[in-house]
Amino acid sequence: MIPIAEPYLNGNEKKYVLQCLETNWISSQGDFILRLEEGLAAYHGVKYGVVTSSCTTAIHLALKAFNIGPGDEVICPDLTFIAPANMVVLSGAALVLIDVDPQTLSIDVNKLADKITCKTKAIIVVHQFGHAAPMDEILAIARGHDIKIIEDNAESIGGRYKGRLLGTFGNISCFSFFANKIITSGEGGALLTNDEELADRCRELRDHGMSKIKKYHHINLGYNYRMTNIQAAIGLAQLEQLDTILTTRMEQMCLYYKLLNDIPGISLRRFADWCEPVHWLMTMTIDDYYNRDEFLQFMRCEGVDCRQMINPVHRALHFIDKYDESDYPNSTRISAQSLHLPCSTSLQKNQVEFIVEKVKKYFCC
Ligand SMILES: Cc1ncc(COP(=O)(O)O)c(C=O)c1O
């Protein structure tokens, strides 16, 4: 079976992990943590990096660092992996979901202004499946209302909006290093910010709300959202290969686009001209005439592990009664008919050809 996504551990991962084991720095202190934080910040040209146990926890830290809680509202796209939406609810704020734009699959800016109220404290911007969100429009709306931007760049590290790296627009931007992401640390995440106070606050909250000056002096209600040195060792080795990984993946995307072109019944994502995408998942949408889940089953029987697209947030059982489906026509329709083909960095040309052959077998018969 060709897997949907495998990590690409071809650099210094083993060497760095062994260094952790040999030096006994296996927990959440150690050199690799600082090196990964500095490396991520330097790569993005941002001042401060804070690594975390996941992107989910990074988003939670961001919300708490902004003092967001009960009585506040936070805006989030309806079509996203559920983590940012759940973190808004856990922060105590009200979750305001907005439908997505059919091209970018990020927040539909035409529907954004209407949802801003005096309670809106933040917008979580998700750069969805490698495509940048329309940052100029979002920032313009936020600026007029003193609203914080939390960029969720879990999926699109290395992508650009109008030439500028994603993850450099938000007051805080968050990243995921889960094993299916462009670079991984097994589990893990990070946040970046140019604001020293925010970075300090996130570090304190990450570590039980402990003062950075005085050990065991707790100045805030905090969490244990730390990354281990072993995870950071893997993450650093991955970061060293990021540009190579991005190039290899882009070649894979071009091959997919060339081979999948003109197959009746499917459509591929087109990218806005201001976006330099990254190839995270290989996404395709199939015509309403076809049954997406039946196609997924067919591909699995042919030895190709494909995945359905994430469900819209409003469909989650704990949200379904709180939102009106008719407000989210794009996310509902696109999610139901879309799926992802395998996209490991290590995927070979002949494997892509094999996968496309199977797609053709289904749609061209
Ligand atoms: C947009 C988005 N945000 C957050 C997350 C959560 O990341 P993590 O698994 O590192 O918590 C994901 C994971 O897929 C994601 O796609």
Side-chain angles (χ1 to χ4, degrees), residues 14 26 36 38 64 118 154 162 172 187 259 294 305 314 340 346 361:
K14 196 170 172 185
I26 59 169
L36 180 57
E38 283 167 14
K64 298 314 280 182
C118 58
K162 296 187 177 172
I172 292 182
E187 291 275 0
L259 299 177
E294 195 184 285
D305 190 14
H314 77 267
H340 309 289
S346 57
K361 187 173 167 189

Side-chain angles (χ1 to χ4, degrees), residues 8 63 139 141 192 211 252 341:
Y8 180 79
L63 292 161
L139 289 171
I141 292 173
L192 298 181
S211 156
Q252 181 194 111
L341 302 177

Side-chain angles (χ1 to χ4, degrees), residues 76-297:
C76 180
D78 183 49
L79 188 61
T80 168
F81 182 69
I82 201 157
N86 281 346
M87 290 308 102
V88 170
V89 175
L90 276 186
S91 78
L95 173 67
V96 179
L97 293 174
I98 298 198
D99 199 14
V100 296
D101 172 85
Q103 182 180 30
T104 65
L105 302 188
S106 313
I107 281 178
D108 183 344
V109 282
N110 297 315
K111 297 177 181 167
L112 181 56
D114 284 352
K115 294 282 187 178
I116 305 277
T117 72
C118 58
K119 294 180 181 173
T120 311
K121 288 292 173 333
I123 300 171
I124 300 184
V125 176
V126 179
H127 303 295
Q128 190 72 278
F129 309 133
H131 196 303
M135 290 313 304
D136 282 349
E137 289 86 343
I138 294 172
L139 289 171
I141 292 173
R143 214 172 286 127
H145 296 85
D146 188 26
I147 292 170
K148 304 296 182 201
I149 297 291
I150 299 173
E151 259 184 289
D152 179 342
N153 200 23
E155 304 172 356
S156 306
I157 188 169
R160 288 173 189 268
Y161 172 78
K162 296 187 177 172
R164 183 168 153 189
L165 273 174
L166 303 181
T168 64
F169 292 88
N171 300 89
I172 292 182
S173 54
C174 302
F175 296 80
S176 172
F177 306 128
F178 181 68
N180 72 352
K181 295 300 186 302
I182 289 169
I183 57 172
T184 183
S185 58
E187 291 275 0
L191 59 87
L192 298 181
T193 180
N194 278 315
D195 184 322
E196 188 177 3
E197 246 177 71
L198 276 181
D200 280 349
R201 203 166 145 69
C202 288
R203 287 204 169 96
E204 281 163 6
L205 290 168
R206 177 183 66 174
D207 195 9
H208 303 284
M210 194 167 3
S211 156
K212 70 170 185 178
I213 304 163
K214 209 169 164 193
K215 194 91 181 150
Y216 304 124
H217 185 62
H218 298 278
I219 53 178
N220 219 316
L221 182 66
Y223 315 89
N224 175 357
Y225 284 171
R226 301 180 302 241
M227 178 186 269
T228 68
N229 203 40
I230 296 178
Q231 290 170 315
I234 299 171
L236 181 68
Q238 290 272 288
L239 182 62
E240 290 168 351
Q241 301 165 83
L242 176 56
D243 287 334
T244 314
I245 289 174
L246 290 172
T247 307
T248 307
R249 295 179 77 94
M250 190 45 71
E251 286 165 6
Q252 181 194 111
M253 185 177 105
C254 292
L255 182 61
Y256 260 130
Y257 269 67
K258 187 173 136 210
L259 299 177
L260 288 168
N261 200 22
D262 288 340
I263 299 179
I266 71 168
S267 50
L268 304 181
R269 225 171 152 198
R270 300 291 157 199
F271 300 98
D273 57 7
W274 40 257
C275 164
E276 287 170 49
V278 289
H279 180 49
W280 180 45
L281 298 179
M282 179 61 219
T283 304
M284 70 183 222
T285 303
I286 69 180
D287 289 355
D288 291 344
Y289 172 78
Y290 296 98
N291 182 308
R292 191 262 320 259
D293 294 342
E294 195 184 285
F295 171 65
L296 291 175
Q297 191 53 34

